[in-house]
Amino acid sequence: MLVGSKNYRTIEASEDQSYVKIIDQTSLPFKLKIVHLKALDDVIKAIKNMQVRGAPLIGVTAAYGFALSMNSDSSDDALRKCKKDLVNARPTAVNLSWAVNKTYDALIKIPIEERIELSWELANNLANEDVDKNILIGLHGYNLFKTYNKKTINILTHCNAGWLATVDHGTALSPIFKLFDEGFDVHVWVDETRPRNQGLSLTAWELSQYKIRHTVVTDNAGGLLMKEGLVDFVIVGADRVALDGQVCNKIGTYLKAIAAKENKIPFYVAAPISTIDINFSGKSRNFEIECRDSDEIMTMKGQDKSGSIVEVRLGNSPAYNPAFDVTPPEYVSKFICEKGVFDADKIRDIVDL
Ligand code: MRU
């Protein structure tokens, strides 16, 4: 996506394939900082401390983790270490284990001397495929939303499922970019998304860069906005989608879905098929809901008057910081993926397509 006059992806291999360039998302919205990852450890740290984040992007980043590791050691042991360490970097988004398993399975069966070249090819392909899928999500979403016969389409979104959460274009924001490109007057209500403020820091920044009208609201404002007729639809991304249509996404998504249903407002989920977990269905949750450091709640980062980034402490009480929740399928109006637009109870069919 364009930032100023320059086109960026969130992650890119260097020309000589010795390092990977990422946009450091912990510096936004204050500074667009590019960081170079040179080894597997750098990749793991970047995923853990959320310099890269968002389900599709952490999957692609992990694939580059294999490539960087193969540069120095292409042995089976090195491959096994990549697999173990990368999968454990963050537990909730299934895209991470999907990308790790796919990359590991392809590399383990080929001769050691071919692994460097193939690992870079696999990571680059995964990155390019992510972009293609997101463009399709944008198109399918656009075809669904262009029928809204309104002067301004008011959309509410939670967390960041824009281009920063993917390699480019985003999932939930991709149809919004497309609506805007096609001349629709869109306005986005951006949930700040405490505690890490991905909405306020990342989604709002993306929308400003694209010149899309938007307004940041507290996470608790959505119910009021919906009740007062100020939201036409809600759209979010996903970290894991069950075969029966349950959607695991950033903490607070479930509350938005409940408010949307109560107010008869459509609630859409946009994600690539790689976000569907074929082992997740019904009551048996087979994955961990990431619980992050309580300091994320008890501190806040900002910019002081001199422009320096400062962190302030908000209190000293114990805090509990689950990072994701699960929305039941009856709250999901439609699921938008690269293959089209589906009812939540048809997720099983998409996997079989
Ligand atoms: O903890 P994060 O910032 O990685 O959480 C991201 C989300 O919850 C996104 O909504 C989700 O990954 C979809 S990204 C296209």
Side-chain angles (χ1 to χ4, degrees):
M1 284 290 201
L2 281 179
V3 182
S5 57
K6 200 166 167 217
N7 220 345
Y8 286 87
R9 281 185 173 191
T10 52
I11 189 161
E12 264 175 304
S14 67
E15 245 170 64
D16 65 355
Q17 301 195 334
S18 64
Y19 64 92
V20 171
K21 293 174 270 185
I22 58 156
I23 292 179
D24 178 355
Q25 301 193 23
T26 59
S27 295
L28 290 170
F30 308 114
K31 195 172 166 199
L32 180 66
K33 185 171 153 197
I34 307 298
V35 165
H36 292 180
L37 309 178
K38 298 180 178 137
L40 176 65
D41 274 358
D42 298 341
V43 168
I44 289 165
K45 274 189 211 135
I47 295 174
K48 281 191 172 162
N49 67 25
M50 294 175 63
Q51 286 173 292
V52 287
R53 40 136 314 272
L57 179 58
I58 59 177
V60 173
T61 308
Y64 281 113
F66 274 94
L68 289 168
S69 174
M70 293 301 100
N71 274 358
S72 55
D73 180 358
S74 307
S75 66
D76 286 6
D77 280 352
L79 272 179
R80 279 190 280 272
K81 180 172 163 43
C82 284
K83 183 177 178 176
K84 182 168 150 282
D85 293 354
L86 286 164
V87 163
N88 289 328
R90 285 192 79 189
T92 305
V94 75
N95 310 61
L96 180 59
S97 51
W98 171 82
V100 167
N101 292 331
K102 199 173 150 88
T103 309
Y104 175 86
D105 292 348
L107 294 174
I108 194 78
K109 61 178 185 229
I110 63 163
I112 288 182
E113 56 282 5
E114 292 173 19
R115 286 181 182 166
I116 295 181
E117 199 184 324
L118 186 69
S119 61
W120 285 97
E121 193 183 314
L122 289 172
N124 290 333
N125 288 347
L126 223 55
N128 292 332
E129 283 161 22
D130 181 67
V131 178
D132 294 345
K133 287 176 200 171
N134 297 333
I135 291 172
L136 285 172
I137 288 174
L139 195 65
H140 297 311
Y142 167 73
N143 286 331
L144 179 67
F145 302 139
K146 70 181 183 193
T147 55
Y148 274 84
N149 191 10
K150 296 201 67 187
K151 185 182 167 302
T152 301
I153 305 177
N154 281 292
I155 304 161
L156 185 137
T157 190
H158 190 69
C159 195
N160 171 261
W163 69 274
L164 291 167
T166 64
V167 177
D168 206 351
H169 294 279
T171 56
L173 257 56
S174 186
I176 299 177
F177 292 131
K178 178 79 180 154
L179 280 168
F180 181 80
D181 287 345
E182 298 298 327
F184 281 79
D185 180 21
V186 285
H187 167 258
V188 185
W189 296 108
V190 179
D191 279 357
E192 60 175 344
T193 320
R194 280 279 286 149
R196 289 189 66 101
N197 294 327
Q198 290 95 326
L200 183 152
S201 310
L202 306 176
T203 303
W205 181 80
E206 284 186 17
L207 293 169
S208 319
Q209 297 300 322
Y210 219 82
K211 313 259 184 295
I212 295 180
R213 279 199 305 128
H214 62 281
T215 310
V216 176
V217 286
T218 63
D219 294 328
N220 295 325
L224 176 78
L225 297 178
M226 292 186 216
K227 201 157 197 284
E228 299 208 329
L230 299 172
V231 178
D232 293 306
F233 64 85
V234 181
I235 187 163
V236 296
D239 284 77
R240 201 178 280 253
V241 174
L243 282 183
D244 61 2
Q246 298 175 75
V247 172
C248 177
N249 192 49
K250 182 53 55 191
I251 193 83
T253 302
Y254 177 36
L255 282 175
K256 289 299 130 71
I258 294 173
K261 192 174 169 76
E262 170 72 19
N263 289 284
K264 300 188 175 42
I265 289 167
F267 181 88
Y268 299 110
V269 175
I273 293 170
S274 51
T275 309
I276 299 172
D277 176 0
I278 56 165
N279 300 310
F280 174 28
S281 186
K283 288 203 170 68
S284 60
R285 183 155 54 72
N286 58 325
F287 62 93
E288 188 189 326
I289 297 241
E290 181 178 16
C291 196
R292 295 188 63 89
D293 197 316
S294 59
D295 268 3
E296 289 186 353
I297 296 180
M298 300 313 268
T299 58
M300 191 83 94
K301 202 162 75 172
Q303 201 169 28
D304 69 11
K305 283 187 183 146
S306 71
S308 308
I309 309 296
V310 289
E311 196 175 274
V312 290
R313 177 150 281 279
L314 306 176
N316 293 304
S317 293
Y320 174 51
N321 187 15
F324 298 93
D325 59 26
V326 180
T327 299
E330 56 271 26
Y331 293 93
V332 179
S333 311
K334 296 280 177 197
F335 177 72
I336 306 165
C337 67
E338 65 270 34
K339 292 239 171 99
V341 179
F342 298 84
D343 289 332
D345 63 0
K346 293 285 181 297
I347 301 286
R348 237 174 253 276
D349 303 351
I350 308 174
V351 179
D352 294 338
L353 280 177

